[in-house]
């Protein structure tokens, strides 16, 4: 995806006779993206732990599950995270209702609302800003990020919430 993205936003010269590719002016974002094969059996925490070699020890990193779409302001989230000086910031949202809600009086529907907003509770939106030290909360490949690591970060007062009230939609 990112190779194609870059190629579609860059001027290139392809020399088929000499097997050469020359990149000219790029019109893409100044991102650095590292893709890591974490293996087919790694759980969410294990996958995060496997990126250790690619992290700058003094810089926070962003992570997402990749199965949600949102208009989260990543720059503002990172700025919030850095200001708070904790190990992890989790974006939270109020989930949309999934079904139409009916209020009944016996067998008579007295009101109906199609897919009302959630009950007000916040949920993990799947977007994080983390310090490399969060890797110390992950035991190995079988660790589930959403279990021991997030629970222990919370108990240790090291997990913050970035409340996102904008668009968010899960893909599952």
């Amino acid at each position: 995806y990112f190779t194609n993205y870059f190629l579609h936003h860059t001027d290139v010269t392809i020399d088929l006779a000499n097997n050469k590719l020359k990149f000219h002016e790029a019109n893409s974002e100044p991102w650095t993206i590292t893709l890591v094969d974490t293996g087919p059996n790694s759980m969410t925490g294990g996958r995060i732990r496997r990126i250790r070699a690619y992290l700058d020890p003094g810089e926070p990193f962003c992570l997402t599950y990749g199965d949600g779409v949102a208009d989260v302001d990543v720059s503002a989230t990172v700025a919030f995270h850095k200001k708070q000086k904790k190990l992890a910031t989790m974006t939270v949202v109020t989930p949309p209702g999934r079904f139409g809600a009916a209020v009944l009086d016996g067998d008579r529907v007295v009101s109906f609302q199609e897919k009302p907003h959630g009950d007000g509770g916040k949920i993990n939106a799947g977007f994080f800003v983390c310090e490399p030290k969060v890797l110390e909360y992950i035991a190995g490949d079988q660790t589930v990020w959403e279990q021991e690591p997030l629970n222990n970060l919370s108990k240790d007062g090291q997990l913050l919430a970035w409340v996102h009230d904008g668009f968010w939609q899960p893909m599952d």
Side-chain angles (χ1 to χ4, degrees), residues 104-122:
L104 304 178
D105 181 6
D107 59 2
R108 185 175 71 86
V109 176
V110 294
S111 71
F112 177 80
Q113 184 178 4
E114 179 60 15
K115 297 182 181 168
H117 205 59
D119 63 6
K122 301 292 185 198

Side-chain angles (χ1 to χ4, degrees), residues 136-148:
E136 296 172 13
Y137 285 78
I138 302 170
D141 280 354
Q142 296 310 305
T143 302
V144 176
W145 173 245
E146 302 78 11
Q147 292 178 5
E148 293 87 6

Side-chain angles (χ1 to χ4, degrees), residues 23-104:
F23 295 99
H24 303 285
E25 187 171 326
N27 298 310
S28 59
E29 288 79 0
W31 298 340
T32 301
I33 300 159
T34 303
L35 304 175
V36 179
D37 181 357
T38 59
N41 299 317
S42 294
M43 300 303 289
T44 51
R47 292 178 190 140
I48 296 166
R49 190 169 186 262
R50 284 180 172 239
I51 67 169
R52 177 180 299 207
Y54 305 104
L55 298 177
D56 181 341
E59 289 295 319
F61 63 96
C62 296
L63 68 97
T64 184
Y65 302 126
D67 65 352
V69 179
D71 62 357
V72 174
D73 184 338
V74 176
S75 295
T77 309
V78 171
F80 169 83
H81 173 81
K82 286 181 175 181
K83 183 179 177 185
Q84 301 300 320
K85 300 188 185 306
K86 298 295 183 185
L87 295 182
T89 298
M90 175 174 60
T91 299
V92 298
V93 296
T94 303
R98 292 183 52 149
F99 307 101
V103 176
L104 304 178

